[in-house]
Amino acid sequence: MTFGKKIGGGRRAGSRATILLAASVMGKGIGHRVAVMDLSATGAKLRDADAPQAGTELWIRIANVERLSTVQWARGGFMGVLFDKPLIPRELYELHRQNSISIATKLKPEERLAVDDWNIGLAR
């Protein structure tokens, strides 16, 4: 039995697309930058060396999209979060558009994250 994958009877509610965007997470005693590794309307996988434990509530900001979320799992420098309110199609489209632009520029992942930081005002 496979867990965590939509195909094969897992628990994932929505299909996810691989992306790489910078995000910020905030919560009780938590406030730092993370990388969004994949995204769906209902949640995301984040790269975070200091991932909080499952059940932790976080406020996440990806570009101009903000959501309350709950950590579903955390291990190996990654975590999966479930959004309190699903992203609407326009928000998903905009996040994927931003990811496509950064891919088209052929920047390295670290450079893409630095550009995202600049765009949301963290690197100014």
Side-chain angles (χ1 to χ4, degrees), residues 3-43:
F3 290 98
K5 296 181 179 148
K6 181 64 176 169
I7 298 172
R11 298 173 291 200
R12 182 172 294 160
S15 63
R16 292 197 176 172
T18 301
I19 66 170
L20 179 60
L21 292 172
S24 57
V25 293
M26 294 169 280
K28 188 174 181 181
I30 300 167
H32 57 274
R33 303 290 290 152
V34 297
V36 181
M37 307 304 290
D38 69 30
L39 179 72
S40 75
T42 58

Side-chain angles (χ1 to χ4, degrees), residues 83-121:
F83 300 138
D84 192 44
K85 174 182 150 193
L87 300 176
I88 61 174
R90 183 181 69 236
E91 292 169 325
L92 270 174
Y93 171 81
E94 179 58 26
L95 293 174
H96 285 289
R97 186 186 71 79
Q98 289 183 25
N99 185 61
S100 296
I101 290 169
S102 63
I103 289 172
T105 61
K106 298 182 181 178
L107 296 174
K108 296 176 185 170
E110 297 79 20
E111 294 169 329
R112 290 169 55 194
L113 294 174
V115 168
D116 285 344
D117 282 349
W118 178 266
N119 286 334
I120 63 173

Side-chain angles (χ1 to χ4, degrees), residues 34-104:
V34 297
V36 181
M37 307 304 290
D38 69 30
L39 179 72
S40 75
T42 58
K45 177 181 177 183
L46 309 175
R47 183 176 62 196
D48 184 359
D50 300 317
Q53 65 183 6
T56 303
E57 289 187 342
L58 298 173
W59 187 258
I60 183 168
R61 180 182 175 129
I62 310 166
N64 61 343
V65 177
E66 297 182 11
R67 284 294 185 281
L68 180 62
S69 61
T70 303
V71 177
Q72 299 298 297
W73 58 267
R75 63 183 165 277
F78 295 92
M79 67 175 155
V81 297
L82 178 66
F83 300 138
D84 192 44
K85 174 182 150 193
L87 300 176
I88 61 174
R90 183 181 69 236
E91 292 169 325
L92 270 174
Y93 171 81
E94 179 58 26
L95 293 174
H96 285 289
R97 186 186 71 79
Q98 289 183 25
N99 185 61
S100 296
I101 290 169
S102 63
I103 289 172

